[in-house]
Amino acid sequence: MTATLLSFGHGYCAQAFSRLLVPAGWTVIGTTREPAHFDAIRASGATPRLWPDEAGALPLNTATHMLISAGPTEAGDPTLARLGECIAALAGRLCWVGYLSTTGVYGDHGGGWVNEETPLAPTTRRGELRAEAEAAWQAIPGLPLHIFRLASIYGPGRGPFEKVRAGTARRIVKPGQVFSRIHVEDIAAVLAASIRRPRPGAIYNLCDDDPAPPQDVLGHAAELLGLPPPPEVPLAEAGLSPMGQSFYAENKRVRNDLIKRELGVRLRYPTYREGLAAILSAERERPA
């Protein structure tokens, strides 16, 4: 049987995933709302589909696996809103379904540790919508669902180096604040490991081994570039938008023991230090 992944919202993480699958013989169909994203989807090895405008063209009956990256809105999960009944009817013949959620569903823990068994207590509307979407997917009988709660994502094209070079970066400081993060290539590796070892109903935290203050990450990026560290600015004086401020409303350290123990994952980038060094090295090797 040919393995076919139908990927809803084929963005940054899903494209990294398809770059692992396609060379191994997979067919990947990636949806997007924007035709301007077609080139990036094709570059990942996937076939783009404009959706929901071309809903009839989606290969629902031939898909063996599904990945849902498209985020929920106030109206609910957009994939379920349009295709929930169809997906429920196909649940028994699908091999694996992955849903990309966020560690924001845990809410604020004052810098304390959380794991997959920590009760959900989101403190932002974004986190609430994700928790509601998780529950909606979990409610489909017989669906081989795997939920992946992602920490802050970084990787090629999403590193801090451009802002540091341009002198526009600021080390915004809130005492005691830490963030967990995860390199996009490690996300793809965890998804691939889950497909090899499926466990319907599983929930996994995806993060590295080193929750760290954001100012430390920027300072290290500057050090790698041989530049002075960006100026420190107290959070109260940073003039952040309400959205920007909301990221600092939650403070927690996320455990990743389960992906190692159950899926046998060995992180390629266990801390931001290895991840930033790899991004910078790739940038320097890229032809001018």
Side-chain angles (χ1 to χ4, degrees):
M1 179 178 64
T2 302
T4 299
L5 176 73
L6 181 54
S7 173
F8 291 96
H10 198 73
Y12 189 64
C13 295
Q15 288 168 24
F17 189 33
S18 65
R19 284 192 288 270
L20 288 183
L21 296 183
V22 172
W26 284 66
T27 296
V28 179
I29 311 295
T31 76
T32 179
R33 293 177 178 271
E34 301 293 338
H37 297 162
F38 275 23
D39 286 347
I41 292 174
R42 290 192 184 100
S44 76
T47 300
R49 288 286 185 273
L50 191 65
W51 188 80
D53 296 342
E54 295 180 1
L58 295 180
L60 290 171
N61 290 323
T62 59
T64 57
H65 298 68
M66 288 185 181
L67 178 68
I68 299 90
S69 306
T73 68
E74 291 291 343
D77 184 279
T79 307
L80 287 180
R82 294 179 179 272
L83 294 175
E85 292 185 3
C86 295
I87 292 172
L90 295 171
R93 57 170 297 276
L94 290 168
C95 300
W96 179 93
V97 177
Y99 180 76
L100 302 190
S101 186
T102 171
T103 57
V105 296
Y106 297 119
D108 180 41
H109 286 263
W113 288 95
V114 301
N115 61 26
E116 289 85 353
E117 297 180 359
T118 300
L120 304 192
T123 56
T124 67
R125 186 56 183 151
R126 294 191 312 279
E128 291 173 349
L129 291 173
R130 282 292 186 182
E132 292 167 6
E134 284 188 15
W137 281 98
Q138 289 170 321
I140 300 176
L143 191 70
L145 180 67
H146 302 71
I147 293 175
F148 304 90
R149 293 175 178 157
L150 277 54
S152 179
I153 304 162
Y154 76 105
R158 290 196 181 183
F161 296 113
E162 286 307 310
K163 286 187 176 181
V164 174
R165 288 188 185 104
T168 58
R170 298 182 300 167
R171 291 183 295 158
I172 298 174
V173 178
K174 178 183 178 183
Q177 179 76 43
V178 296
F179 291 108
S180 291
R181 51 191 55 77
I182 182 76
H183 193 288
V184 68
E185 292 177 10
D186 281 325
I187 294 172
V190 172
L191 298 179
S194 174
I195 282 180
R196 291 191 297 270
R197 301 182 184 183
R199 178 170 67 85
I203 298 173
Y204 300 105
N205 291 334
L206 273 62
C207 58
D208 68 18
D209 298 337
D210 187 18
Q215 64 269 24
D216 289 4
V217 179
L218 277 173
H220 186 68
E223 181 180 348
L224 290 175
L225 291 171
L227 295 173
E232 286 195 353
V233 181
L235 176 63
E237 300 174 13
L240 295 179
S241 67
M243 174 70 76
Q245 292 177 22
S246 71
F247 288 106
Y248 287 83
E250 297 179 349
N251 184 15
K252 56 185 168 288
R253 292 172 166 85
V254 183
R255 293 199 181 279
N256 61 14
D257 306 82
L258 191 59
I259 59 171
K260 298 175 181 177
R261 182 174 67 249
E262 187 171 294
L263 300 179
V265 169
R266 182 177 180 180
L267 295 174
R268 185 172 183 181
Y269 306 106
T271 80
Y272 65 86
R273 297 168 188 84
E274 294 89 353
L276 292 183
I279 294 170
L280 185 58
S281 177
E283 287 182 1
R284 288 172 171 169
E285 293 175 1
R286 192 178 303 132

